[in-house]
Amino acid sequence: MKVHRQGMDAAATGASSATSADVVDYTQALESAQPDEGRVVVRVDLEAREIDWEFVPGQRTRAWAFGGQVPGPTIEAQVGDVLEIRVTNHLPEPTVVHWHGLRIPAAMDGTERVQRPVAPGESFTYRFRVQDAGTFWYHSHYNETVQMERGLYGALIVRAPDEPVFDADRTFVLDDVELAKNGEIKPPGGWIESHDGREGSVRLVNGRQEPEVRMAAGQVERWRFVNAASARYVRLSVGGRPFRIIGSGGGLIPSPVTATEVLLATANRIEIAVGPFEAGAVLRIETLPFNRGSFKSHKRPELFATVRVGAAAPSMTRIPARLREIEPLVTGPVAANRDVRLGFSLGMKHGVEFDINHQQHHHAEPVRVGELQVWDVVNRSPVHHPFHLHGFFFQVLEVNGKSPDYRSWEDTVNVPAFGKVRIAWLPDDRPGGWMYHCHILEHHAAGMMGHFEVIR
Ligand code: C2O
Ligand code: CU
């Protein structure tokens, strides 16, 4: 097997300005990633290949997987560790792996913008230091409507030493698939699917249809949810019981927020403290009806998993009233310095075309390191779009003119139909080629994305 270590290949990516001398190239990024004092290098071998997988118990489906399982293995690290992940591609087509939500050098972002896809039979090593605690994920960033639908994604959890203590810490990666009668994943297609994005009728938690979860009565657990679905929004409920939101896409939020439901657009993560429940309780982890403007509607709650609460056990959970300080990026009134307009039109290629600023695969102006960005993400279409910025966290200032319920760091935010979301972010010193896009995979594929450079 050929081990291939690539640099930025400007000719292959068409990213001409990515060759600028300011840009940290692949080799430089590889060599400069060193763990903090006392921390370690976590090495992971991720092989992508076709496997047989039982999304539905007893029914075999050809899936594509990292490490022989769907989702791929959960990668765990501590803040200050270096992750060195060698991806080997045994698929019949190229792939590339994106580290969603991680603040890493552009050269390690895992997109066609910054690297040549990993060809069948080749390997590629990603190496970067992790600097933020939180619930992240990794996924294929190539032919996503096929590769992600077949299972090429996994969770990536980063912990810090000073985090609150819970009786248990679990990760729920949510997804759905659409299976044909023969049990295989349906190939993408059709104009409704290109408009709505695919919503499969088989709902999955950690790669299995509607599993059971057991927990002890009297305990309080930390549950991390990742919405890895192609298009489905999850309006998450745990048996209608109140839970406490403690974290989102970019780690802990300032203090716990009690809720009975929370909306997860695709690619969103949420961390909640659940319990204590009484012995014998049976609770449905489900998605409540939600209308995101798609043709396919959801009029009833739909099950993801069932929680069975067993005998009581002592609890050692301690949730402080203050979880974290997050300084506001913006105080007082501020004007946006950029409009990102999410548009749509009818067209020949996909039936429904999605664009940004009237351009498919929009080429946006560069941003400069250290210059505050205030962007208005304006949705000119009748459907919701989850807007994802690669490589940098932003703060949501307003959704349709209202400030959000809590301050947080995010990398993906839902932009309601005909709505407007104002975000602020500060490009730190990681120059190179970056992108933003709608995380409904079909919309992304249709060109609802923008490329830009971070320059010094
Ligand atoms: Cu999770 Cu460019 O995506
Ligand atoms: Cu979209």
Side-chain angles (χ1 to χ4, degrees):
M1 180 178 49
K2 193 160 118 231
V3 176
H4 195 98
R5 297 197 158 182
Q6 299 157 302
M8 251 188 220
D9 191 332
T13 60
S16 51
S17 46
T19 54
S20 125
D22 282 348
V23 169
V24 178
D25 75 5
Y26 173 74
T27 316
Q28 219 181 321
L30 194 71
E31 285 164 4
S32 64
Q34 295 305 330
D36 289 359
E37 186 72 33
R39 295 310 317 155
V40 297
V41 178
V42 178
R43 292 198 170 78
V44 181
D45 248 309
L46 267 192
E47 299 203 351
R49 67 166 80 245
E50 187 165 65
I51 60 163
D52 283 330
W53 187 254
E54 294 188 3
F55 292 109
V56 177
Q59 182 177 18
R60 269 198 288 145
T61 300
R62 302 297 284 169
W64 287 4
F66 291 118
Q69 59 180 80
V70 182
T74 297
I75 297 175
E76 301 187 56
Q78 291 253 6
V79 170
D81 285 348
V82 161
L83 279 174
E84 186 177 294
I85 302 162
R86 195 172 82 139
V87 174
T88 304
N89 183 5
H90 298 293
L91 302 168
E93 63 182 42
T95 194
V96 70
V97 184
H98 170 56
W99 313 96
H100 184 123
L102 293 177
R103 297 193 298 147
I104 56 184
M108 297 296 172
D109 193 38
T111 68
E112 281 185 272
R113 180 85 167 85
V114 293
Q115 72 172 96
R116 207 149 42 71
V118 188
E122 283 189 351
S123 293
F124 184 90
T125 299
Y126 297 90
R127 184 178 156 111
F128 45 80
R129 179 178 161 276
V130 288
Q131 46 177 328
D132 303 288
T135 304
F136 306 104
W137 60 307
Y138 60 95
H139 62 78
S140 157
H141 212 278
Y142 189 91
N143 193 14
E144 292 168 11
T145 55
V146 170
Q147 295 197 1
M148 284 177 71
E149 177 70 1
R150 292 191 182 171
L152 289 172
Y153 59 81
L156 196 160
I157 309 295
V158 183
R159 296 191 173 84
D162 54 351
E163 289 191 74
V165 177
F166 286 88
D167 296 317
D169 182 338
R170 308 191 200 219
T171 303
F172 298 80
V173 185
L174 309 180
D175 189 13
D176 58 30
V177 283
E178 188 63 15
L179 301 179
K181 283 213 179 61
N182 64 4
E184 300 304 336
I185 293 172
K186 276 200 188 152
W191 73 274
I192 290 192
E193 193 170 290
S194 77
H195 174 276
D196 282 6
R198 166 169 300 191
E199 289 197 26
S201 48
V202 178
R203 291 171 304 282
L204 307 173
V205 175
N206 298 335
R208 305 287 183 197
Q209 182 182 33
E210 298 169 30
E212 281 197 3
V213 177
R214 287 170 193 282
M215 73 181 276
Q219 293 202 322
V220 177
E221 300 190 350
R222 179 179 191 163
W223 288 4
R224 305 163 185 264
F225 287 87
V226 179
N227 184 355
S230 304
R232 179 191 288 270
Y233 279 39
V234 176
R235 194 179 143 208
L236 181 70
S237 157
V238 182
R241 305 289 187 98
F243 50 73
R244 282 163 284 176
I245 300 170
I246 57 166
S248 63
L252 296 174
I253 61 174
S255 42
V257 173
T258 302
T260 53
E261 60 173 81
V262 61
L263 183 66
L264 287 171
T266 56
N268 272 157
R269 285 89 64 209
I270 202 82
E271 298 184 16
I272 61 177
V274 296
F277 301 126
E278 67 286 0
V282 179
L283 307 170
R284 290 165 60 91
I285 301 178
E286 60 189 3
T287 176
L288 302 174
F290 185 74
N291 179 3
R292 60 179 178 88
S294 52
F295 290 113
K296 194 167 172 176
S297 63
H298 300 274
K299 300 216 168 62
R300 262 178 218 100
E302 290 171 79
L303 187 68
F304 270 98
T306 305
V307 186
R308 292 189 187 280
V309 183
S315 175
M316 29 172 280
T317 295
R318 295 284 171 273
I319 309 174
R322 288 304 286 176
L323 297 163
R324 181 191 189 181
E325 297 308 320
I326 298 179
E327 293 300 326
L329 279 178
V330 172
T331 48
V334 65
N337 57 7
R338 187 173 295 197
D339 269 358
V340 178
R341 286 184 300 273
L342 312 177
F344 103 123
S345 58
L346 299 178
M348 293 307 287
K349 196 163 169 227
H350 307 92
V352 195
E353 306 294 340
F354 292 94
D355 58 38
I356 287 187
N357 294 2
H358 302 294
Q359 203 183 19
Q360 287 169 327
H361 305 278
H362 175 56
H363 280 269
E365 291 293 299
V367 307
R368 201 171 283 281
V369 170
E371 283 181 4
L372 179 71
Q373 300 298 307
V374 178
W375 291 6
D376 274 342
V377 186
V378 182
N379 187 348
R380 294 277 172 79
S381 80
V383 297
H384 291 20
H385 298 285
F387 173 85
H388 169 46
L389 174 65
H390 275 224
F392 301 86
F393 292 133
F394 52 79
Q395 291 179 359
V396 177
L397 304 182
E398 286 174 9
V399 178
N400 290 342
K402 275 184 47 197
S403 48
D405 295 343
Y406 48 86
R407 187 176 300 144
S408 63
W409 291 110
E410 304 292 346
D411 53 63
T412 307
V413 63
N414 181 44
V415 189
F418 297 117
K420 185 178 95 175
V421 173
R422 178 169 286 184
I423 62 169
W425 64 284
L426 192 66
D428 59 320
D429 191 20
R430 285 175 296 123
W434 295 99
M435 62 173 67
Y436 49 78
H437 58 84
C438 173
H439 219 287
I440 289 176
L441 304 183
E442 290 74 6
H443 298 179
H444 181 193
M448 187 173 258
M449 66 172 305
H451 304 268
F452 67 100
E453 296 279 320
V454 171
I455 55 173
R456 280 187 175 133

